[in-house]
Amino acid sequence: MRRPQAQDWLRWALVAGPMFAAMPRANSLAWVLIGLTLALSVPLLWLHDAGANRWAPAVAVAVVGTAATMLAVVPNSWASVTMFGTTFFVVLRQRTGPIVLAVAIDLAAITCWAVLHGTWQGAVPTYAAVVVIVLIGLNRRARLARMEQTELALARAQTANEEHARAAALAERARIARELHDVLAHSLAGLSLNLQGARLMLVRDGASPDAVAQIERAQKLASDGLAEARKAVAALREDAVPVERAIADLLAAYRLDSGARADLTVRGEPRELDPAVGTALVRAVQEALANTRKHAAQADVDVTLDYAEAAVHLTVADRQGRRPPDAPAAGYGLRGMGERVALLDGRLESGPGEDGWRIHLTVPA
């Protein structure tokens, strides 16, 4: 859970401050409502911006309800500021259901206040204030949505540019690999065959051992050069991407698809890993993200890659906001992941955590 920021404290002050201002004129019932409102306002420091948190709408609407009751019980108090301020935040961040409920509570409280105190003339501007609050909140909400869409479009454009540059680099590497294979590899292969024939002829004609040894050394050099040339061609044709970059690309794609947070934390000193180890780590993250998309859409994801002295630890945890049920049986994806890790003498652990599903694997490296 993140620590409250300055804007969170400002929002809380707007909700809780009027309750403190209402204390000098409070009666016994008002004191109860003030205490409830202040107690309920504290979780808003953490729950308000967590749209996926199931408690956020209930807490916000409860604050609206207690403040609205306070408005009806203690007229001419600052409770309306709390009620309107919290309603604005509900309109700004929550779904349609909580918004309709909060606005209905506002209108009901204003009506009760007007009936109990006979101030219908003062109720009309208050009704208008509710309408203005809702319109401002909806306008602000639309503006934030446009900004998010713009940021998403920029991120997608940047990803497309990176993919274009990467494709161009791969095409150039493939061209160089073809040239290297056609010229150097073929020449070395032909040289090796000719040296082999020369060695056989010298042995047949009874040449001196020194001459045969020289030909054998030349043949070995040609064979070694051919092997290195083939390795160079293979390296040029393969797109060797560091594990951290590959995992970061997967998380970037997840963020673009779901709009949720997906962060990578690297601990220790990154080092070059065996291709099999790197593939196992990347495939594990890929499978974990696929399961998150399937079973907990739009859940936040935290990935930790820890380079220990003799092993690499990978943890993938999604934040569903609740403890998921135990899986009845491991699917083919998790089973395949476990088999791949077992071939590397590693260990895989998967299961529900406190607020989501967690996968942890350790691979010697």
Side-chain angles (χ1 to χ4, degrees), residues 175-193 221-233 236:
R175 185 190 67 80
I176 296 174
R178 287 193 302 271
E179 295 294 332
L180 181 61
H181 180 270
D182 293 341
V183 177
L184 183 58
H186 283 175
S187 299
L188 288 174
L191 177 61
S192 180
L193 289 175
L221 289 174
S223 299
D224 292 343
L226 179 60
E228 292 299 326
R230 287 173 176 168
K231 288 182 181 179
V233 170
L236 283 171

Side-chain angles (χ1 to χ4, degrees), residues 91-122:
V91 173
L92 185 62
R93 292 293 183 183
Q94 302 303 330
R95 298 179 182 272
T96 304
I99 293 174
V100 172
L101 184 57
V103 173
I105 292 174
D106 291 346
L107 298 178
I110 296 170
T111 303
C112 291
W113 170 66
V115 170
L116 291 176
H117 303 284
T119 56
W120 286 101
Q121 292 182 349

Side-chain angles (χ1 to χ4, degrees), residues 324-339:
D326 294 335
Y332 292 111
L334 284 176
R335 194 178 307 168
M337 187 192 308
E339 293 172 352

Side-chain angles (χ1 to χ4, degrees), residues 124-144:
V124 174
T126 313
Y127 285 130
V130 174
V131 175
V132 171
I133 289 292
V134 172
L135 292 177
I136 293 175
L138 292 176
N139 180 71
R140 176 65 176 172
R141 181 175 185 146
R143 182 173 180 273
L144 290 176

